[in-house]
Amino acid sequence: MGAQGDGEKLASSSKLKSAALLDMMKEHIKGPEGKGLLEKIGLVYQMNIGEKKLGFQEESFVIDLKEGNVYKGAYKGGKPDATFSFADQDFVAVATGKLNPQMAFIRGKMRIKGSMKAAQKFTPDIFPKPSKL
Amino acid sequence: MSLRDLVMGGAGCSAPGVGPSTANPMAGLADSLIGGAAKQQERLRELPGLAGPEVGPSSQDFGRSRLQPPLPGFELDHGIVGPSGPRGQEFLQGFNSHNQGFSDAWDEALRPGFPHGPPMGPEAAHFEDFERIYSQQGPMLAGPMPEGAPQQVLAGFLHSFLDSSRTAAPFPAVKLPELGLSQMDKERIRNRSSIMARHIFADKGPMFVENQVNALLQSLEIDRNPELEHRMHGPMGGAFREFEDYWAEGAPPVNGPGHPDQWAAEFQNKLRLQNGNHWGEEYARENSSGGTWGDEFAQEQGDQWAEEMAAQERQRLGLLPGQQAATLDQTRQLAETLSQNKDPKFQNSKFLQFVSKMSRGELIMEDNAVREAAAGDGWANEFQVQQTRGAFGGPQQANDWASEFHREQQQDPQGWADEYAQEQAQGPKDWADEFGDQVAKGALDIDESGWVDSYNQFLDESRGGEASTSNMDYKFAEQNPYMGHPAPLREGQDLFRRGLLSEAVLALEAEVLKNPNSCEGWRLLGNCHAENDDDRQAIAAMLKAREADPTNLEVLLSLGVSHTNELEQQEALGYLRSWLQNHPRYGKLVPQDGSAEGLGHEEVVNMFRAAVREAPEDADLHTVLGVLFNLSREYDLAIEAFRQALQLKPKDYSLWNKLGATQANSARSADAVQAYQEALDLKPNYVRAWSNMGIGYANQGRYEESIRYYVQALQMNPMSDNAWNYLRISLSCAGRMDMVELVDRKDLDVLAKEYPL
């Protein structure tokens, strides 16, 4: 952590709660605890997060569970296995287990592009839960 | 519009307010035949020609016809998979395949308590999710669906339909679980909802009534126009090739009474006869003599469907005069329950007046008349409504059979009521009974099944927007034994010291209700909530404390911490900055000209660093710095800051927890667990640390341990939604699906026995 190139914090350039959460995700998958996740999933997800509303003023993030990285922007390695669109708080709700992804999908709070097989592996347990100070 | 258009599914035959593809008659037919009556039977036995991928057409229509556009966010669906597209189906279905680890996990995380069953046909699988919720009480894939749970869901749903009359809010169409409604049930609901809606919403105009009823029927997967279901048995339009193919596979070529005009004529004749026989049965009979595909259909898999019709018929015939006493009794009960509904609109409705009359015996049913009226009446209502709003192309068609219905309807104004009463007499399982019971019980009592909960929650969300997160109002407990306590603040402080957080919360609530400007009361209350792992309530209370005293440093720090926990970075930064600003000693380090408002994270950190240079022995400075570095996710620096603070204040349990949380958030959960243990040694009832401990173990993939800690946290504070959610995830990761069900019921006793710490 610190100043190396990919140590850039997502949340420093974003006001989204999702960015803060994805920063934790980044720590998680780069550390020893995330190793299993890469083996288990091995896919690349792109997240398009709208600040207030799905589809508006979106910021993109990549959760690369092949290489073990999380960064802002679109996927650099071609086409992600699946792309998800969320409103900020809905993504946080899904990642923290408040909102079940299937319900989110059915209610139109989550949209998916790409491989369904990949999308099915996108479950709340891949995200580390934020510990409370 | 010509009848042909209706048969072919022309644009105008959609119900208003519904997209052309959603209410097309084909979809209606598919729904009613395959999605409705046949579905149950499909589970009972594999039906030739209906099992497997051949139900494709209905699956295709499934999404379009049942998931209506009002779902939020659908307007943007371009190239992105919505639940309705075939790939959406694939997606949803994928969750149900029980052979992949992760989709399993998802599946299980979300759908607790479901015994792993054999994979179902694609159609059944789509809403397996919901089905399993009620199948918990009965056998899966075998036997008729249990009566209880779907009834409950249905009742809850119908109840909210009635509620919509009070709010006058448009009733949203929602996807309901498969309720296993028979054709007969559907027809009954259709008839009655139209009738009731017109009375309940009498002052809203016919369009409103229409929309309400449409929404209700859509949600229940009942086709708006029963006649279409039959009318559709004609030649298929090119637009429905898939469907056509499907029929072609399972049935001989269509001929028979297919020609629309011909059919209409027959139909008209049949209705004129009014001989009391149910049209469904009659239809079946006519077709069976013709050797048409309808016949085939009936022989292949429609027998039960026809039987249902016949059963209904028998039931009607069985309503003997001797039963009138029972009817009277039933209606009296109904009148009583209904009269408990305080809504004046409802009280004045003709419906209630009618039921009252019935119960007083002022109206007497004659079963013959009733039966005749009932047979034609549901239709008549439909048609009258259709006719009124001109959906069928207006009143042109001079020979219009619909107007004939209209006339009949007028001849017998009591028809609907009779029908209603007659149905009412049929049994205690009746829709109206259920409905009335629910009205009497009130909304809160129906939430026994989680499904109803989430449905209501969904309604709330769709109506009220996302008020929940932005709503900062403090929520008081409804019942508080400390109300009237002579010294609630002292009591609360005492309880807090003894570690009885939830009790302390109540005492302090009594305090702040007594003294709304008690900064100390609100502050300690907020603190209790923070230690009880509820940051929303903590923030709400702390905001009140800040109103009482805007410069209280503890309050400002707590607000900074809680907002950090809630990932609200801007708010957190603001409070931490004002902590320094309001500090008697370091306040001078902050520009006092008002420019401090715009300071970014880096500047604020620099000011704190300047303060630390000035007073390195002040533990609080290190603490705030630690929080600030958490905010910027500079975890190494944050850990360093908390360690410094701990050297100065080693007995501060909240510091140990902060250190642990920072370590856990930076993938050092093993260290974190040790720090939490320190905190718990100092304060055994520190719910937040117990909960964090669970997260720490879960992060390491040690789910069994994490479960024990979550359960422990929940035993101390069963209100912690976070802990419940995390517990559910850990249970499913640990493969304890049997326990997930307990989470849904919030049943801690068994969990605590299974996972003692």
Side-chain angles (χ1 to χ4, degrees):
Chain A
M1 280 137 292
Q4 76 264 37
D6 61 359
E8 186 65 26
K9 302 298 171 193
L10 308 173
S12 58
S13 60
S14 171
K15 287 179 185 172
L16 299 179
K17 293 182 192 182
S18 304
L21 201 76
L22 288 170
D23 268 329
M24 291 181 198
M25 178 80 181
K26 185 175 180 173
E27 298 283 342
H28 184 65
I29 61 174
K30 281 177 167 288
E33 292 158 12
K35 286 278 180 289
L37 206 54
L38 302 191
E39 286 161 25
K40 214 151 140 193
I41 312 251
L43 297 165
V44 178
Y45 295 124
Q46 183 174 320
M47 319 292 305
N48 298 328
I49 313 282
E51 190 183 342
K52 295 261 183 270
K53 206 175 159 194
L54 189 157
F56 289 93
Q57 292 166 331
E58 285 184 334
E59 293 179 33
S60 295
F61 302 91
V62 172
I63 304 173
D64 186 340
L65 296 175
K66 241 182 226 153
E67 302 291 323
N69 197 11
V70 179
Y71 54 86
K72 204 172 171 190
Y75 183 42
K76 293 165 186 161
K79 236 177 122 183
D81 292 293
T83 302
F84 296 88
S85 305
F86 279 105
D88 191 25
Q89 66 182 13
D90 291 333
F91 171 66
V92 173
V94 166
T96 55
K98 276 194 198 76
L99 176 61
N100 115 25
Q102 200 186 5
M103 199 52 95
F105 179 70
I106 289 171
R107 291 181 190 175
K109 290 183 172 200
M110 168 170 98
R111 258 187 248 138
I112 307 164
K113 214 170 12 184
S115 148
M116 287 304 132
K117 207 166 170 346
Q120 284 154 28
K121 292 189 175 183
F122 184 84
T123 55
D125 59 290
I126 69 174
F127 296 97
K129 307 294 161 255
S131 300
K132 303 294 179 70
L133 297 178
Chain B
M1 177 190 305
S2 71
L3 283 167
R4 179 180 299 274
D5 278 345
L6 285 172
V7 175
M8 306 301 259
C13 48
S14 315
V18 183
S21 65
T22 56
N24 78 54
M26 274 305 165
L29 180 62
D31 275 358
S32 64
L33 293 185
I34 298 154
K39 197 180 250 177
Q40 266 180 300
Q41 294 155 33
E42 208 177 306
R43 296 192 191 100
L44 296 173
R45 50 179 173 169
E46 285 292 309
L47 293 167
L50 261 187
E54 283 171 12
V55 290
S58 95
S59 308
Q60 297 284 332
D61 271 332
F62 185 100
R64 286 193 292 278
S65 58
R66 303 180 193 189
L67 286 157
Q68 300 298 336
L71 287 177
F74 266 64
E75 67 280 6
L76 291 167
D77 254 333
H78 292 299
I80 298 184
V81 184
S84 52
R87 289 200 304 163
Q89 300 297 341
E90 196 192 317
F91 174 67
L92 288 173
Q93 228 171 295
F95 293 116
N96 300 310
S97 56
H98 294 280
N99 47 11
Q100 303 168 26
F102 250 105
S103 64
D104 251 7
W106 182 334
D107 201 26
E108 290 166 358
L110 310 173
R111 290 187 256 142
F114 177 64
H116 288 235
M120 301 193 210
E123 185 192 2
H126 291 145
F127 279 83
E128 194 189 350
D129 172 16
F130 293 117
E131 280 165 8
R132 80 179 50 174
I133 290 169
Y134 72 76
S135 67
Q136 278 167 14
Q137 297 174 20
M140 195 68 190
L141 298 174
M145 286 298 144
E147 276 287 288
Q151 284 282 358
Q152 210 173 59
V153 169
L154 181 60
F157 179 72
L158 294 171
H159 183 67
S160 60
F161 179 65
L162 180 73
D163 277 350
S164 72
S165 74
R166 280 181 220 141
T167 56
F171 188 68
V174 210
K175 177 67 200 121
L176 281 179
E178 176 54 54
L179 292 167
L181 294 175
S182 67
Q183 202 65 30
M184 188 170 81
D185 291 334
K186 287 186 176 191
E187 192 178 301
R188 280 158 62 183
I189 293 171
R190 173 167 49 228
N191 291 343
R192 291 173 194 176
S193 58
S194 313
I195 292 160
M196 288 196 58
R198 265 186 278 153
H199 289 266
I200 299 172
F201 305 120
D203 55 342
K204 298 258 177 21
M207 278 310 285
F208 185 81
V209 171
E210 190 67 14
N211 289 337
Q212 300 286 89
V213 173
N214 273 340
L216 176 77
L217 295 183
Q218 267 168 29
S219 304
L220 291 171
E221 298 172 27
I222 301 172
D223 199 87
R224 186 70 184 82
N225 307 311
E227 64 278 9
L228 287 179
E229 290 171 13
H230 284 264
R231 182 173 298 248
M232 284 326 300
H233 295 203
M236 311 292 167
F240 306 103
R241 279 226 59 89
E242 278 177 12
F243 203 74
E244 202 173 349
D245 291 344
Y246 160 54
W247 280 116
E249 272 176 48
V254 175
N255 43 28
H259 192 273
D261 295 333
Q262 218 182 332
W263 187 86
E266 274 178 42
F267 179 62
Q268 203 173 351
N269 283 338
K270 187 165 56 180
L271 291 164
R272 279 213 192 89
L273 291 175
Q274 285 287 318
N275 58 5
N277 280 325
H278 194 274
W279 53 265
E281 197 192 37
E282 182 143 342
Y283 181 78
R285 205 166 51 221
E286 274 181 22
N287 276 316
S288 59
S289 63
T292 61
W293 62 265
D295 183 29
E296 291 289 319
F297 175 75
Q299 280 170 13
E300 267 183 37
Q301 54 96 37
D303 282 353
Q304 300 215 359
W305 182 75
E307 268 168 30
E308 269 174 13
M309 296 297 186
Q312 192 178 16
E313 180 67 12
R314 280 195 295 276
Q315 227 171 341
R316 285 184 167 164
L317 291 168
L319 188 75
L320 301 169
Q323 284 177 283
Q324 280 185 1
T327 307
L328 200 63
D329 198 31
Q330 290 265 358
T331 39
R332 194 176 296 127
Q333 282 174 20
L334 181 72
E336 276 166 23
T337 27
L338 288 175
S339 60
Q340 284 167 30
N341 185 322
K342 296 285 180 286
D343 187 27
K345 203 178 303 155
F346 194 76
Q347 286 294 325
N348 294 333
S349 72
K350 285 185 191 164
F351 172 68
L352 185 60
Q353 287 165 17
F354 164 73
V355 176
S356 306
K357 276 188 191 171
M358 277 294 293
S359 66
R360 292 194 297 268
E362 290 172 23
L363 288 174
I364 295 167
M365 295 189 305
E366 291 171 43
D367 55 338
N368 265 352
V370 165
R371 192 173 71 241
E372 281 182 13
D377 186 63
W379 304 65
N381 284 331
E382 299 294 325
F383 273 102
Q384 192 183 19
V385 173
Q386 298 285 3
Q387 186 69 9
T388 317
R389 67 157 200 251
F392 278 52
Q396 63 280 46
Q397 310 265 342
N399 60 347
D400 206 328
W401 35 274
S403 44
E404 182 142 339
F405 265 120
H406 191 132
R407 250 173 279 135
E408 280 172 18
Q409 169 66 11
Q410 286 174 337
Q411 282 162 15
D412 185 9
Q414 282 304 349
W416 64 267
D418 288 350
E419 192 221 15
Y420 182 85
Q422 183 228 11
E423 297 283 357
Q424 173 59 24
Q426 282 178 359
K429 267 291 163 221
D430 199 282
W431 181 86
D433 258 357
E434 285 286 323
F435 184 68
D437 284 351
Q438 300 300 347
V439 171
K441 269 195 254 170
L444 287 174
D445 292 336
I446 63 172
D447 290 350
E448 281 161 27
S449 85
W451 190 86
V452 174
D453 271 342
S454 52
Y455 171 73
N456 288 339
Q457 187 195 338
F458 176 35
L459 283 190
D460 290 347
E461 279 178 28
S462 14
R463 280 186 199 135
E466 304 292 333
S468 50
T469 48
S470 57
N471 186 357
M472 288 295 186
D473 285 345
Y474 186 86
K475 290 180 197 68
F476 288 95
E478 281 171 22
Q479 306 231 321
N480 190 341
Y482 293 93
M483 293 305 284
H485 192 285
L489 180 59
R490 196 143 28 86
E491 182 72 28
Q493 286 165 332
D494 188 46
L495 288 164
F496 176 75
R497 262 193 298 278
R498 286 156 55 199
L500 301 167
L501 292 173
S502 298
E503 283 294 301
V505 163
L506 292 174
L508 292 166
E509 284 184 1
E511 160 68 13
V512 298
L513 284 170
K514 200 169 141 194
N515 303 313
N517 291 321
S518 162
C519 176
E520 180 55 16
W522 282 112
R523 188 199 65 80
L524 194 56
L525 181 55
N527 203 18
C528 287
H529 281 299
E531 294 195 3
N532 231 349
D533 207 25
D534 187 343
D535 280 304
R536 297 315 316 173
Q537 285 281 76
I539 289 173
M542 286 297 180
L543 285 174
K544 290 285 189 184
R546 185 167 165 265
E547 273 176 32
D549 178 2
T551 63
N552 186 300
L553 296 181
E554 285 174 273
V555 170
L556 292 170
L557 176 56
S558 287
L559 280 166
V561 169
S562 284
H563 279 293
T564 303
N565 288 336
E566 292 289 298
L567 307 173
E568 288 155 352
Q569 305 168 65
Q570 289 309 307
E571 290 87 344
L573 182 61
Y575 290 119
L576 296 177
R577 189 197 57 231
S578 43
W579 184 91
L580 195 65
Q581 212 167 349
N582 287 302
H583 199 286
R585 185 165 167 195
Y586 318 117
K588 60 181 192 300
L589 294 165
V590 183
Q592 301 294 331
D593 55 4
S595 67
E597 294 293 311
L599 291 179
H601 184 270
E602 208 179 326
E603 289 97 324
V604 175
V605 166
N606 284 336
M607 292 187 301
F608 271 95
R609 282 187 163 142
V612 168
R613 277 194 295 276
E614 192 175 310
E617 76 294 345
D618 188 339
D620 290 350
L621 282 175
H622 295 288
T623 305
V624 182
L625 259 177
V627 179
L628 277 168
F629 287 131
N630 258 286
L631 208 49
S632 57
R633 270 145 269 276
E634 295 170 89
Y635 293 113
D636 288 345
L637 292 170
I639 289 170
E640 182 54 30
F642 287 137
R643 283 201 186 285
Q644 298 250 354
L646 274 167
Q647 278 181 2
L648 298 158
K649 273 179 155 181
K651 295 284 173 201
D652 187 332
Y653 55 83
S654 84
L655 271 175
W656 282 109
N657 178 67
K658 286 183 174 66
L659 173 64
T662 308
Q663 289 168 325
N665 285 340
S666 56
R668 281 167 275 204
S669 294
D671 297 346
V673 164
Q674 288 181 16
Y676 296 143
Q677 195 55 60
E678 294 280 348
L680 289 171
D681 288 346
L682 291 163
K683 173 135 187 169
N685 287 3
Y686 194 2
V687 176
R688 168 148 289 170
W690 287 109
S691 198
N692 277 339
M693 196 79 121
I695 296 172
Y697 280 113
N699 283 347
Q700 300 176 70
R702 297 166 67 178
Y703 297 112
E704 286 276 333
E705 282 106 325
S706 78
I707 293 167
R708 294 178 199 281
Y709 284 98
Y710 291 140
V711 169
Q712 177 72 26
L714 285 166
Q715 282 182 298
M716 293 175 182
N717 179 17
M719 311 280 280
S720 173
D721 287 340
N722 278 335
W724 282 113
N725 292 332
Y726 298 165
L727 174 60
R728 182 200 309 269
I729 293 172
S730 277
L731 281 169
S732 60
C733 286
R736 293 304 303 267
M737 293 319 296
D738 52 326
M739 293 277 137
V740 172
E741 191 190 333
L742 299 171
V743 173
D744 289 337
R745 295 209 305 262
K746 303 212 167 179
D747 181 348
L748 267 177
D749 294 345
V750 181
L751 282 162
K753 275 198 199 92
E754 188 78 13
Y755 289 101
L757 199 61

